[in-house]
Amino acid sequence: MHCAPPAPETWTSHDLNRLARAASSDHSGSTWQAVLSRLVDIHPGAQRALLAIRQGTHFEVQGVAGYPADLLNLRLPLHTERAWYGQSESAWHSEQCRQLSGADLQGHLGRIETLFGPQDHYRTLREQGDLDTLQANLLQPFTCNGEVVAHLNIDGVEGLPSLPEHAVNLLRTLIQRSWTASADAHLQERNELWEMARLGDLLRPITDPHELLQTGLRRVAAAFGATGQHSAQPSQLDPTRSITEPCLDGLLTLTWSAPPFSRPLAQLSLRSLADRVHHAHLRGQQRGSLLESRNHALELIGAALEARDLETQGHTRRVAHWAQQVARAADLDPEESEALHLGALLHDLGKLAIPDAILLKPGPLTDQERAVMQRHPGLGAALARRVPHLPDSALDVVRSHHEHWNGGGYPAGLRGEEIPRPARLFAVIDTYDALTSDRPYRAAWTPQAAWAEVQRLSGQQFDPWAVQLTAEVLGSVE
């Protein structure tokens, strides 16, 4: 049923001013007690009131007067509230009030409960709201942008009049303001959740804990409109405008100019970032320990080669040390630097498979013996592949450090920049140390003679860039 024809005006301008003052003094967008209490005081026949505001697929009780406060935040399904209104769709969207009383009201309640069966919110309303004694109910819908975003229930005695138009207009303004603020807050929260998901994708590839901290803190702060900081001892903080999380012997801090709306979500994001940084730090420590153990093992392999007199004493240690110096001078990226160093440690591993009669022969090798000797880079790469956590780029150094810039090397006859850059650098380092060391078939050359020979082979056997760079580094060492 629709409301009866409007009753004679029962509100005065003074009443409307009283309601407006209640709204401006106590209405905060989420607390409606003062507004509804004043409404019940003013409206003839009213005994209590309940306001439910739309939240997605349900309404939520956000204000009560005369009802127990336990009803606040009660969720009311959209379909049951639409049935409780009971009028046409056009009436619902045109904000026509609905009024029921006496037997009609109790019959309507019974039909809804029969239609939908047991409902938790009905049970709560019956227990908290004494629906069995309800005499009259007025339901006033409110719309925003053509959608019903709230409805006001006023309970009282039979003959409860409809609200005057100016009261409806004032309440609509307040409800729309509250609903818009709530919608904006939910939109902001959704955007922040989306930023959190994007943040996870952004940070996942980062393994360095300090880079992870800096990048993550910058993005979290931007997502929540805060200022981010990591410090050992932050300055005095206002707890209403800042949050902190322990991280790497310090504190991550987010600070706002005013108390934030999404404080719990921001705290969760900051805690998640701190956890990521902590685990990255632990992984780095574990990886560092593993790599240190691996490098010690590779040094032992080099020492084992020298113990069999397969190389001049200290060759592996020297070329590995020089490789690190050259890598720094060449400004290689971390992957190439590691490849050059590890490849230096393992570069002659394949000689373990070469017979002593060939490897230690004091005179020139025959063509057949030379062919066997030239197999050692490939054999070394095959053996080195079994070393745990050894990058493929280090295998390139083992396999290709005897390739020549002009294509005349072995085992694959690579030419120019087909040869991996770390292998080109190491070829110069290895040759220089070999020339300046005693071998079974000749005495050591002087450093000057060795550099003259390397320079002579620049552009033929060696990359000219690698020769120049290595000469600058090792020449300063000599």
Side-chain angles (χ1 to χ4, degrees):
M1 303 177 192
H2 296 289
C3 289
E9 192 68 43
T10 56
W11 284 53
T12 66
S13 58
H14 177 65
D15 292 329
L16 186 62
N17 288 336
R18 290 170 61 200
L19 185 64
R21 284 196 299 272
S24 61
S25 64
D26 210 23
H27 173 61
S28 63
S30 60
T31 302
W32 287 84
Q33 181 178 354
V35 175
L36 297 185
S37 295
R38 186 57 51 90
L39 178 64
V40 170
D41 289 343
I42 296 171
H43 196 57
Q47 297 174 330
R48 58 188 185 181
L50 179 150
L51 177 69
I53 296 182
R54 178 82 173 266
Q55 301 288 339
T57 59
H58 65 277
F59 288 91
E60 186 175 280
V61 177
Q62 295 194 7
V64 293
Y67 278 103
D70 291 345
L71 291 181
L72 288 172
N73 302 318
L74 179 66
R75 294 165 67 98
L76 309 174
L78 180 61
H79 61 281
T80 61
E81 295 310 285
R82 180 64 184 82
W84 169 233
Y85 176 67
Q87 305 301 307
S88 68
E89 196 71 18
S90 60
W92 174 248
H93 284 94
S94 61
E95 297 187 347
Q96 293 185 30
C97 73
R98 185 273 291 141
Q99 188 180 42
L100 291 171
S101 60
D104 289 339
L105 175 57
Q106 291 299 325
H108 186 56
L109 283 169
R111 284 191 296 274
I112 291 177
E113 291 178 315
T114 300
L115 176 63
F116 295 109
Q119 299 278 325
D120 289 341
H121 70 285
Y122 281 154
R123 188 177 303 110
T124 301
L125 286 169
R126 279 207 173 274
E127 293 173 356
Q128 302 285 339
D130 297 325
L131 296 187
D132 291 336
T133 62
L134 193 61
Q135 298 180 52
N137 171 265
L138 183 148
L139 190 155
Q140 175 65 57
F142 294 93
T143 63
C144 181
N145 298 326
E147 293 294 327
V148 176
V149 298
H151 61 81
L152 171 68
N153 284 266
I154 301 177
D155 300 334
V157 298
E158 289 197 46
L160 189 67
S162 59
L163 290 169
E165 183 179 357
H166 48 253
V168 172
N169 292 338
L170 174 61
L171 291 170
R172 182 192 302 110
T173 299
L174 298 177
I175 288 168
Q176 289 178 347
R177 185 188 306 161
S178 175
W179 186 80
T180 301
S182 175
D184 289 344
H186 282 290
L187 178 61
Q188 178 181 348
E189 183 177 55
R190 186 181 68 181
N191 291 340
E192 289 167 352
L193 286 169
W194 175 244
E195 283 298 318
M196 286 178 64
R198 291 179 59 197
L199 181 66
D201 292 336
L202 172 71
L203 299 183
R204 195 169 294 114
I206 303 176
T207 57
D208 178 74
H210 296 285
E211 181 185 357
L212 189 62
L213 187 154
Q214 294 171 4
T215 303
L217 184 59
R218 184 171 62 251
R219 292 297 294 262
V220 169
F224 290 94
T227 300
Q229 181 184 14
H230 178 253
S231 60
Q233 188 64 41
S235 56
Q236 191 67 29
L237 299 172
D238 180 351
T240 66
R241 300 185 180 187
S242 62
I243 57 175
T244 61
E245 279 294 331
C247 183
L248 293 186
D249 298 325
L251 286 178
L252 293 176
T253 306
L254 291 183
T255 306
W256 290 267
S257 58
F261 167 76
S262 301
R263 183 186 183 93
L265 194 57
Q267 188 79 57
L268 179 63
S269 297
L270 202 61
R271 185 174 301 122
S272 175
L273 174 60
D275 287 344
R276 283 178 179 270
V277 173
H278 174 68
H279 289 121
H281 180 65
L282 290 180
R283 285 194 300 270
Q285 289 181 322
Q286 293 169 351
R287 184 175 185 274
S289 179
L290 286 172
L291 294 182
E292 184 177 0
S293 298
R294 179 200 62 189
N295 291 351
H296 284 322
L298 299 187
E299 290 172 2
L300 286 174
I301 292 174
L305 285 168
E306 294 170 1
R308 292 184 60 204
D309 290 330
L310 300 182
E311 293 287 359
T312 301
Q313 186 70 27
H315 169 72
T316 301
R317 178 180 54 80
R318 285 195 303 274
V319 295
H321 174 67
W322 289 344
Q324 290 179 310
Q325 292 184 307
V326 169
R328 284 193 292 269
D331 197 25
L332 299 184
D333 61 39
E335 181 180 348
E336 287 186 313
S337 295
E338 184 182 43
L340 183 54
H341 178 236
L342 298 180
L345 290 173
L346 290 174
H347 71 285
D348 275 342
L349 182 61
K351 289 184 178 180
L352 286 171
I354 303 300
D356 287 353
I358 297 175
L359 191 65
L360 302 178
K361 185 176 179 180
L365 301 179
T366 66
D367 290 344
Q368 184 178 6
E369 290 170 337
R370 187 174 294 104
V372 173
M373 176 63 80
Q374 291 181 355
R375 292 174 55 202
H376 85 268
L379 293 171
L383 289 171
R385 192 178 297 280
R386 303 180 185 182
V387 176
H389 309 294
L390 190 70
D392 288 343
S393 50
L395 299 179
D396 291 337
V397 175
V398 177
R399 183 186 301 107
S400 302
H401 69 283
H402 282 295
E403 299 287 359
H404 291 181
W405 183 252
N406 63 7
Y410 61 89
L414 300 181
R415 176 188 298 272
E417 294 187 0
E418 293 176 348
I419 308 168
R421 185 161 60 166
R424 283 182 264 149
L425 287 166
F426 184 72
V428 179
I429 297 169
D430 185 46
T431 299
Y432 172 75
D433 187 76
L435 290 174
T436 55
S437 302
D438 288 323
R439 291 299 170 95
Y441 48 86
R442 59 154 176 82
W445 292 24
T446 65
Q448 294 79 8
W451 278 125
E453 179 65 8
V454 169
Q455 292 286 353
R456 185 182 70 81
L457 296 174
S458 178
Q460 302 176 48
Q461 182 172 334
F462 305 121
D463 177 357
W465 165 79
V467 170
Q468 180 180 354
L469 181 71
T470 306
E472 291 173 358
V473 176
L474 301 190
S476 65
V477 174
E478 293 298 340

